Amino acid sequence: MTVLHIRRERLLESIRELSCIGATSNGGVTRFALTGEDRQAREWLQARAKAHDLDSHFDAVGNLFVYCRADAAGGPPVLVGSHVDTVPDGGRYDGALGVLAGLESLISLQESKAQLSRPVWLAVWTEEEGSRFRNGLIGSRAFIGEVAPTELDDADAQGITLASALRNWELEPAQLTEVAREPGQVHAYVELHIEQGAKLDAAGLQVGVVTGIVGIRRYDVSVKGQANHAGTTPMHLRQDALVAAAQMVQSVEQLVKASGHADAVGTVGKLSVQPGGVNVVPGQVDFSLEVRDLETSVMDELVERILSKFREIAYTRNVQLCWELTSDVKPAPLSREIRQTIAEVASDLGYSWQDMPSGAGHDAQHLACICPTGMIFVPSKDGISHSPHEFTADDDCVRGANVLLNTIVQLAK
Ligand SMILES: [Zn+2]
Protein backbone atom coordinates (compact mmCIF):
# COMPACT_ATOMS: atom_id res chain seq x y z
CA MET A 1 0.00 0.00 0.00
CA THR A 2 1.14 3.59 -0.57
CA VAL A 3 1.75 5.27 2.73
CA LEU A 4 1.09 8.88 3.67
CA HIS A 5 3.16 10.88 6.14
CA ILE A 6 2.04 13.60 8.51
CA ARG A 7 4.03 16.86 8.66
CA ARG A 8 6.59 16.24 11.39
CA GLU A 9 7.36 19.82 12.44
CA ARG A 10 3.71 20.82 12.43
CA LEU A 11 2.82 17.96 14.78
CA LEU A 12 5.76 18.60 17.13
CA GLU A 13 5.03 22.32 17.24
CA SER A 14 1.40 21.61 18.12
CA ILE A 15 2.52 19.38 21.02
CA ARG A 16 4.74 22.20 22.29
CA GLU A 17 1.98 24.80 21.95
CA LEU A 18 -0.74 22.75 23.64
CA SER A 19 1.58 21.92 26.56
CA CYS A 20 1.80 25.66 27.34
CA ILE A 21 -1.91 25.75 28.21
CA GLY A 22 -2.09 24.86 31.90
CA ALA A 23 1.70 24.51 32.15
CA THR A 24 2.99 24.08 35.71
CA SER A 25 6.24 25.47 37.12
CA ASN A 26 8.01 22.09 37.06
CA GLY A 27 7.36 21.24 33.44
CA GLY A 28 4.04 19.44 33.87
CA VAL A 29 0.51 20.33 32.81
CA THR A 30 -2.64 20.76 34.90
CA ARG A 31 -5.74 20.99 32.75
CA PHE A 32 -8.83 19.81 34.57
CA ALA A 33 -11.99 19.13 32.60
CA LEU A 34 -14.39 21.99 31.88
CA THR A 35 -12.11 24.62 33.43
CA GLY A 36 -10.69 27.74 31.82
CA GLU A 37 -7.53 25.85 30.78
CA ASP A 38 -9.57 23.08 29.19
CA ARG A 39 -11.67 25.65 27.33
CA GLN A 40 -8.54 27.48 26.19
CA ALA A 41 -7.08 24.20 24.90
CA ARG A 42 -10.24 23.37 22.99
CA GLU A 43 -10.55 26.86 21.51
CA TRP A 44 -6.90 26.63 20.47
CA LEU A 45 -7.74 23.32 18.74
CA GLN A 46 -10.79 24.89 17.07
CA ALA A 47 -8.71 27.80 15.79
CA ARG A 48 -6.07 25.43 14.48
CA ALA A 49 -8.74 23.34 12.76
CA LYS A 50 -10.36 26.41 11.24
CA ALA A 51 -7.03 27.62 9.89
CA HIS A 52 -6.97 24.38 7.89
CA ASP A 53 -10.58 24.61 6.68
CA LEU A 54 -11.88 22.13 9.21
CA ASP A 55 -15.12 22.70 11.08
CA SER A 56 -15.86 21.86 14.69
CA HIS A 57 -18.67 21.77 17.21
CA PHE A 58 -19.30 20.93 20.87
CA ASP A 59 -21.91 18.45 22.01
CA ALA A 60 -23.89 18.85 25.24
CA VAL A 61 -21.19 17.28 27.46
CA GLY A 62 -18.37 19.33 25.98
CA ASN A 63 -17.01 16.71 23.57
CA LEU A 64 -15.41 18.64 20.72
CA PHE A 65 -15.73 17.19 17.22
CA VAL A 66 -13.56 18.33 14.31
CA TYR A 67 -14.44 17.40 10.74
CA CYS A 68 -14.31 18.48 7.17
CA ARG A 69 -17.64 20.10 6.31
CA ALA A 70 -16.97 19.87 2.60
CA ASP A 71 -16.50 16.11 2.96
CA ALA A 72 -18.24 14.52 0.00
CA ALA A 73 -18.17 11.12 1.68
CA GLY A 74 -21.28 10.07 3.55
CA GLY A 75 -22.36 7.43 6.02
CA PRO A 76 -21.11 6.70 9.52
CA PRO A 77 -17.73 8.35 10.18
CA VAL A 78 -14.40 6.83 11.07
CA LEU A 79 -13.72 8.44 14.42
CA VAL A 80 -10.31 9.12 15.96
CA GLY A 81 -9.85 10.77 19.31
CA SER A 82 -8.45 11.10 22.80
CA HIS A 83 -8.55 13.73 25.55
CA VAL A 84 -6.87 16.99 26.57
CA ASP A 85 -7.74 16.99 30.29
CA THR A 86 -4.93 15.90 32.62
CA VAL A 87 -4.24 14.67 36.13
CA PRO A 88 -2.80 17.29 38.54
CA ASP A 89 0.72 18.09 37.32
CA GLY A 90 0.43 15.51 34.57
CA GLY A 91 2.47 15.06 31.43
CA ARG A 92 2.44 16.67 27.99
CA TYR A 93 1.57 13.53 26.01
CA ASP A 94 -1.18 11.63 27.85
CA GLY A 95 -4.28 12.25 25.73
CA ALA A 96 -2.78 15.28 23.99
CA LEU A 97 -0.75 13.15 21.58
CA GLY A 98 -3.82 11.26 20.36
CA VAL A 99 -5.80 14.47 19.85
CA LEU A 100 -2.99 16.32 18.08
CA ALA A 101 -2.05 13.35 15.90
CA GLY A 102 -5.75 13.04 15.05
CA LEU A 103 -5.96 16.69 14.06
CA GLU A 104 -2.72 16.42 12.10
CA SER A 105 -4.15 13.35 10.32
CA LEU A 106 -7.28 15.26 9.31
CA ILE A 107 -5.17 18.14 8.01
CA SER A 108 -2.89 15.73 6.12
CA LEU A 109 -5.89 13.97 4.56
CA GLN A 110 -7.27 17.32 3.47
CA GLU A 111 -3.93 18.36 1.97
CA SER A 112 -3.31 15.03 0.24
CA LYS A 113 -6.80 15.19 -1.31
CA ALA A 114 -7.09 11.51 -0.43
CA GLN A 115 -10.22 9.95 -1.94
CA LEU A 116 -12.07 8.39 0.97
CA SER A 117 -15.51 6.87 0.93
CA ARG A 118 -16.24 7.66 4.59
CA PRO A 119 -16.05 10.88 6.58
CA VAL A 120 -13.32 11.13 9.22
CA TRP A 121 -14.00 12.89 12.52
CA LEU A 122 -11.79 13.80 15.44
CA ALA A 123 -13.34 13.57 18.92
CA VAL A 124 -11.83 15.37 21.91
CA TRP A 125 -13.53 13.62 24.82
CA THR A 126 -14.51 15.41 28.04
CA GLU A 127 -13.11 14.49 31.48
CA GLU A 128 -11.22 11.30 30.71
CA GLU A 129 -9.04 11.34 33.81
CA GLY A 130 -11.66 11.91 36.48
CA SER A 131 -9.39 14.53 38.10
CA ARG A 132 -12.30 16.91 38.62
CA PHE A 133 -15.44 14.75 38.49
CA ARG A 134 -14.58 11.45 40.12
CA ASN A 135 -16.01 8.94 37.65
CA GLY A 136 -13.94 10.00 34.67
CA LEU A 137 -14.35 8.99 31.01
CA ILE A 138 -17.48 11.16 31.00
CA GLY A 139 -17.45 12.29 27.36
CA SER A 140 -16.95 8.84 25.86
CA ARG A 141 -19.46 7.28 28.25
CA ALA A 142 -22.06 9.90 27.35
CA PHE A 143 -21.35 9.13 23.69
CA ILE A 144 -22.42 5.51 24.21
CA GLY A 145 -25.35 6.49 26.44
CA GLU A 146 -23.76 5.34 29.71
CA VAL A 147 -23.96 8.55 31.74
CA ALA A 148 -27.02 8.57 33.97
CA PRO A 149 -28.73 11.98 34.37
CA THR A 150 -28.03 11.74 38.13
CA GLU A 151 -24.30 11.97 37.38
CA LEU A 152 -24.90 15.58 36.31
CA ASP A 153 -25.34 16.32 40.03
CA ASP A 154 -21.84 15.04 40.90
CA ALA A 155 -19.82 17.89 42.33
CA ASP A 156 -16.12 18.73 42.14
CA ALA A 157 -14.00 19.65 45.20
CA GLN A 158 -15.44 23.19 45.12
CA GLY A 159 -19.02 21.92 45.10
CA ILE A 160 -19.60 22.83 41.44
CA THR A 161 -21.79 20.19 39.80
CA LEU A 162 -21.09 18.69 36.40
CA ALA A 163 -24.33 20.29 35.18
CA SER A 164 -23.26 23.79 36.24
CA ALA A 165 -19.74 23.29 34.85
CA LEU A 166 -21.37 22.47 31.50
CA ARG A 167 -23.69 25.48 31.75
CA ASN A 168 -20.66 27.67 32.46
CA TRP A 169 -19.49 26.59 29.01
CA GLU A 170 -22.91 27.55 27.63
CA LEU A 171 -23.74 23.89 27.05
CA GLU A 172 -27.13 22.40 27.83
CA PRO A 173 -26.78 19.38 30.15
CA ALA A 174 -30.48 18.55 29.68
CA GLN A 175 -29.52 17.45 26.16
CA LEU A 176 -27.32 14.68 27.61
CA THR A 177 -29.30 11.91 25.91
CA GLU A 178 -28.88 13.53 22.48
CA VAL A 179 -25.11 12.99 22.76
CA ALA A 180 -25.47 9.19 22.66
CA ARG A 181 -24.86 7.15 19.50
CA GLU A 182 -26.18 3.72 18.66
CA PRO A 183 -24.17 0.81 17.25
CA GLY A 184 -23.92 1.37 13.50
CA GLN A 185 -23.69 5.15 13.74
CA VAL A 186 -19.89 5.08 13.92
CA HIS A 187 -17.98 2.98 11.39
CA ALA A 188 -14.84 2.53 13.52
CA TYR A 189 -12.85 4.22 16.28
CA VAL A 190 -9.06 4.46 16.56
CA GLU A 191 -7.09 6.06 19.38
CA LEU A 192 -3.37 6.75 19.51
CA HIS A 193 -2.04 6.99 23.07
CA ILE A 194 1.26 6.82 24.90
CA GLU A 195 1.74 3.40 26.49
CA GLN A 196 2.08 4.74 30.07
CA GLY A 197 4.02 1.57 30.83
CA ALA A 198 7.58 0.43 30.10
CA LYS A 199 7.07 -2.59 27.82
CA LEU A 200 7.81 -0.90 24.47
CA ASP A 201 10.66 1.19 25.86
CA ALA A 202 12.27 -1.84 27.54
CA ALA A 203 11.91 -3.97 24.40
CA GLY A 204 13.19 -1.18 22.12
CA LEU A 205 10.02 -1.45 19.99
CA GLN A 206 8.33 1.45 18.23
CA VAL A 207 4.61 0.67 18.13
CA GLY A 208 2.17 -1.28 20.30
CA VAL A 209 -0.91 -2.83 18.70
CA VAL A 210 -3.37 -2.93 21.57
CA THR A 211 -5.18 -6.25 21.88
CA GLY A 212 -7.66 -5.07 24.50
CA ILE A 213 -8.17 -2.88 27.52
CA VAL A 214 -8.06 -4.69 30.83
CA GLY A 215 -11.02 -5.05 33.14
CA ILE A 216 -10.61 -3.67 36.65
CA ARG A 217 -12.24 -5.19 39.72
CA ARG A 218 -11.92 -3.43 43.07
CA TYR A 219 -12.82 -4.47 46.60
CA ASP A 220 -12.78 -2.81 50.00
CA VAL A 221 -11.46 -5.40 52.46
CA SER A 222 -11.79 -5.11 56.21
CA VAL A 223 -9.91 -7.17 58.82
CA LYS A 224 -11.12 -6.95 62.41
CA GLY A 225 -9.02 -8.17 65.32
CA GLN A 226 -8.85 -6.83 68.85
CA ALA A 227 -7.22 -3.52 69.72
CA ASN A 228 -5.29 -3.89 72.95
CA HIS A 229 -2.42 -2.59 75.07
CA ALA A 230 0.86 -3.23 73.26
CA GLY A 231 2.75 -3.60 76.54
CA THR A 232 0.47 -5.90 78.49
CA THR A 233 -0.94 -8.16 75.76
CA PRO A 234 1.40 -11.14 75.30
CA MET A 235 2.17 -12.21 71.75
CA HIS A 236 0.21 -15.46 71.92
CA LEU A 237 -2.98 -13.71 73.07
CA ARG A 238 -3.12 -11.08 70.33
CA GLN A 239 -5.62 -10.70 67.52
CA ASP A 240 -3.47 -8.33 65.51
CA ALA A 241 -5.40 -7.16 62.45
CA LEU A 242 -2.33 -5.65 60.80
CA VAL A 243 -0.20 -8.80 60.94
CA ALA A 244 -3.08 -10.69 59.33
CA ALA A 245 -3.56 -7.97 56.71
CA ALA A 246 0.18 -7.94 55.98
CA GLN A 247 0.04 -11.66 55.17
CA MET A 248 -2.95 -11.01 52.93
CA VAL A 249 -1.13 -8.24 51.05
CA GLN A 250 1.82 -10.56 50.46
CA SER A 251 -0.47 -13.33 49.30
CA VAL A 252 -1.89 -11.06 46.57
CA GLU A 253 1.55 -10.64 45.04
CA GLN A 254 2.41 -14.32 45.40
CA LEU A 255 -0.85 -15.63 43.97
CA VAL A 256 -0.93 -13.30 40.96
CA LYS A 257 2.74 -13.99 40.15
CA ALA A 258 2.24 -17.74 40.48
CA SER A 259 -0.96 -17.74 38.40
CA GLY A 260 0.89 -17.98 35.09
CA HIS A 261 -1.25 -15.18 33.61
CA ALA A 262 1.47 -12.87 32.33
CA ASP A 263 -0.74 -9.80 31.93
CA ALA A 264 -2.66 -10.13 35.19
CA VAL A 265 -1.87 -7.68 37.99
CA GLY A 266 -3.08 -7.46 41.58
CA THR A 267 -2.51 -4.50 43.88
CA VAL A 268 -3.20 -3.36 47.42
CA GLY A 269 -2.72 0.38 47.03
CA LYS A 270 -4.46 1.78 50.08
CA LEU A 271 -4.39 0.62 53.68
CA SER A 272 -5.46 2.16 56.97
CA VAL A 273 -4.76 0.93 60.50
CA GLN A 274 -7.09 1.55 63.46
CA PRO A 275 -6.73 2.85 66.07
CA GLY A 276 -3.23 3.66 64.80
CA GLY A 277 -1.27 4.17 68.03
CA VAL A 278 2.40 3.26 68.57
CA ASN A 279 1.47 1.43 71.76
CA VAL A 280 -1.72 -0.25 70.57
CA VAL A 281 -2.13 -3.67 68.96
CA PRO A 282 -3.94 -2.89 65.66
CA GLY A 283 -7.64 -3.67 66.00
CA GLN A 284 -8.80 -3.07 62.46
CA VAL A 285 -7.24 -2.72 59.03
CA ASP A 286 -9.11 -1.60 55.94
CA PHE A 287 -7.44 -1.99 52.57
CA SER A 288 -8.19 -1.92 48.88
CA LEU A 289 -7.76 -4.86 46.54
CA GLU A 290 -7.59 -4.37 42.79
CA VAL A 291 -7.22 -7.04 40.10
CA ARG A 292 -6.82 -6.35 36.37
CA ASP A 293 -6.73 -8.63 33.35
CA LEU A 294 -7.92 -8.86 29.76
CA GLU A 295 -10.12 -11.88 30.51
CA THR A 296 -13.09 -11.90 32.85
CA SER A 297 -12.45 -15.59 33.55
CA VAL A 298 -8.89 -14.84 34.70
CA MET A 299 -10.15 -12.07 36.98
CA ASP A 300 -12.77 -14.46 38.40
CA GLU A 301 -10.14 -17.11 39.01
CA LEU A 302 -7.65 -14.75 40.67
CA VAL A 303 -10.21 -13.08 42.89
CA GLU A 304 -11.49 -16.49 43.96
CA ARG A 305 -7.97 -17.66 44.89
CA ILE A 306 -7.08 -14.43 46.66
CA LEU A 307 -10.26 -14.30 48.73
CA SER A 308 -10.00 -17.94 49.73
CA LYS A 309 -6.41 -17.31 50.85
CA PHE A 310 -7.65 -14.29 52.83
CA ARG A 311 -10.25 -16.53 54.52
CA GLU A 312 -7.58 -19.06 55.43
CA ILE A 313 -5.32 -16.37 56.92
CA ALA A 314 -8.23 -14.84 58.85
CA TYR A 315 -9.12 -18.26 60.28
CA THR A 316 -5.54 -19.06 61.28
CA ARG A 317 -5.01 -15.67 62.89
CA ASN A 318 -8.41 -15.55 64.55
CA VAL A 319 -9.55 -12.28 62.99
CA GLN A 320 -12.79 -11.39 61.21
CA LEU A 321 -12.81 -10.71 57.53
CA CYS A 322 -15.28 -8.99 55.23
CA TRP A 323 -15.10 -7.51 51.77
CA GLU A 324 -17.25 -5.53 49.41
CA LEU A 325 -17.05 -5.21 45.63
CA THR A 326 -16.75 -1.48 44.91
CA SER A 327 -16.28 -1.43 41.15
CA ASP A 328 -16.23 -3.89 38.28
CA VAL A 329 -15.19 -2.61 34.87
CA LYS A 330 -15.37 -5.33 32.22
CA PRO A 331 -12.39 -5.97 29.92
CA ALA A 332 -12.76 -4.49 26.43
CA PRO A 333 -11.29 -6.68 23.70
CA LEU A 334 -10.45 -4.64 20.60
CA SER A 335 -11.35 -5.43 16.98
CA ARG A 336 -9.23 -8.17 15.37
CA GLU A 337 -9.62 -6.56 11.94
CA ILE A 338 -8.45 -3.16 13.13
CA ARG A 339 -5.56 -4.72 15.05
CA GLN A 340 -4.50 -6.41 11.84
CA THR A 341 -4.81 -3.16 9.88
CA ILE A 342 -2.68 -1.30 12.45
CA ALA A 343 -0.04 -4.06 12.34
CA GLU A 344 0.06 -4.03 8.52
CA VAL A 345 0.29 -0.25 8.42
CA ALA A 346 3.14 -0.28 10.97
CA SER A 347 4.99 -2.91 8.91
CA ASP A 348 4.47 -0.95 5.68
CA LEU A 349 5.91 2.12 7.36
CA GLY A 350 8.92 0.04 8.42
CA TYR A 351 8.24 0.32 12.15
CA SER A 352 8.79 -2.45 14.68
CA TRP A 353 5.67 -3.41 16.63
CA GLN A 354 4.17 -5.91 19.04
CA ASP A 355 0.74 -6.89 20.31
CA MET A 356 0.06 -5.79 23.87
CA PRO A 357 -2.84 -5.21 26.25
CA SER A 358 -3.58 -1.84 27.80
CA GLY A 359 -3.33 -1.97 31.58
CA ALA A 360 -4.90 1.49 31.87
CA GLY A 361 -8.45 2.56 31.08
CA HIS A 362 -9.10 4.66 27.96
CA ASP A 363 -12.02 6.28 26.15
CA ALA A 364 -11.57 3.52 23.54
CA GLN A 365 -12.99 0.93 25.96
CA HIS A 366 -16.38 2.63 25.73
CA LEU A 367 -16.30 3.17 21.98
CA ALA A 368 -15.65 -0.58 21.69
CA CYS A 369 -19.25 -1.07 22.91
CA ILE A 370 -20.72 0.56 19.80
CA CYS A 371 -18.18 0.10 17.00
CA PRO A 372 -15.06 -1.83 15.94
CA THR A 373 -12.26 -0.15 17.89
CA GLY A 374 -8.48 -0.14 17.77
CA MET A 375 -5.68 1.46 19.78
CA ILE A 376 -2.10 2.32 18.90
CA PHE A 377 0.57 2.73 21.59
CA VAL A 378 3.90 4.51 21.34
CA PRO A 379 6.68 4.20 23.95
CA SER A 380 6.71 6.11 27.23
CA LYS A 381 10.29 6.67 28.36
CA ASP A 382 10.95 4.45 31.40
CA GLY A 383 7.20 3.82 31.53
CA ILE A 384 6.60 7.09 33.39
CA SER A 385 3.21 8.79 33.02
CA HIS A 386 0.86 11.06 35.00
CA SER A 387 3.99 13.02 35.89
CA PRO A 388 5.89 16.05 34.57
CA HIS A 389 8.60 13.50 33.67
CA GLU A 390 6.30 11.78 31.19
CA PHE A 391 8.22 11.70 27.91
CA THR A 392 7.75 10.29 24.44
CA ALA A 393 10.49 11.02 21.91
CA ASP A 394 9.66 13.20 18.90
CA ASP A 395 10.36 10.30 16.52
CA ASP A 396 7.91 8.11 18.44
CA CYS A 397 5.20 10.79 18.35
CA VAL A 398 5.67 11.10 14.59
CA ARG A 399 5.64 7.32 14.08
CA GLY A 400 2.44 7.01 16.11
CA ALA A 401 0.78 9.77 14.07
CA ASN A 402 1.84 8.11 10.80
CA VAL A 403 0.36 4.80 11.92
CA LEU A 404 -2.85 6.60 12.90
CA LEU A 405 -3.09 8.47 9.59
CA ASN A 406 -2.62 5.36 7.46
CA THR A 407 -4.94 3.28 9.63
CA ILE A 408 -7.63 5.94 9.06
CA VAL A 409 -7.04 5.72 5.31
CA GLN A 410 -7.49 1.94 5.37
CA LEU A 411 -10.67 2.18 7.45
CA ALA A 412 -12.22 5.04 5.47
CA LYS A 413 -11.16 4.19 1.92
ZN1 LIG B 1 -4.97 9.29 28.62
Side-chain angles (χ1 to χ4, degrees), residues 306-325:
I306 289 169
L307 293 178
S308 92
K309 187 70 187 175
F310 283 8
R311 263 188 243 112
E312 190 187 308
I313 294 167
Y315 178 78
T316 315
R317 301 211 64 100
N318 194 24
V319 293
Q320 288 170 29
L321 172 72
C322 58
W323 63 79
E324 188 191 345
L325 179 69

Side-chain angles (χ1 to χ4, degrees), residues 83 94-95 128-129 193 196 362:
H83 60 97
D94 178 359
E128 192 268 353
E129 298 287 2
H193 206 282
Q196 302 181 285
H362 293 289

Side-chain angles (χ1 to χ4, degrees), residues 68-82:
C68 176
R69 178 156 291 181
D71 217 327
V78 170
L79 202 58
V80 296
S82 201

Side-chain angles (χ1 to χ4, degrees), residues 47 53 96 145 150 230 267 309 315 371 377-378:
D53 269 338
T150 50
T267 307
K309 187 70 187 175
Y315 178 78
C371 65
F377 275 172
V378 287

Side-chain angles (χ1 to χ4, degrees), residues 303-358:
V303 164
E304 169 65 39
R305 280 196 209 168
I306 289 169
L307 293 178
S308 92
K309 187 70 187 175
F310 283 8
R311 263 188 243 112
E312 190 187 308
I313 294 167
Y315 178 78
T316 315
R317 301 211 64 100
N318 194 24
V319 293
Q320 288 170 29
L321 172 72
C322 58
W323 63 79
E324 188 191 345
L325 179 69
T326 53
S327 98
D328 189 9
V329 177
K330 302 273 178 282
L334 299 182
S335 155
R336 275 189 184 281
E337 288 74 20
I338 298 182
R339 281 167 53 187
Q340 199 177 340
T341 303
I342 294 169
E344 283 168 10
V345 161
S347 296
D348 285 345
L349 284 159
Y351 303 157
S352 58
W353 60 271
Q354 72 170 20
D355 283 332
M356 59 190 301
S358 170

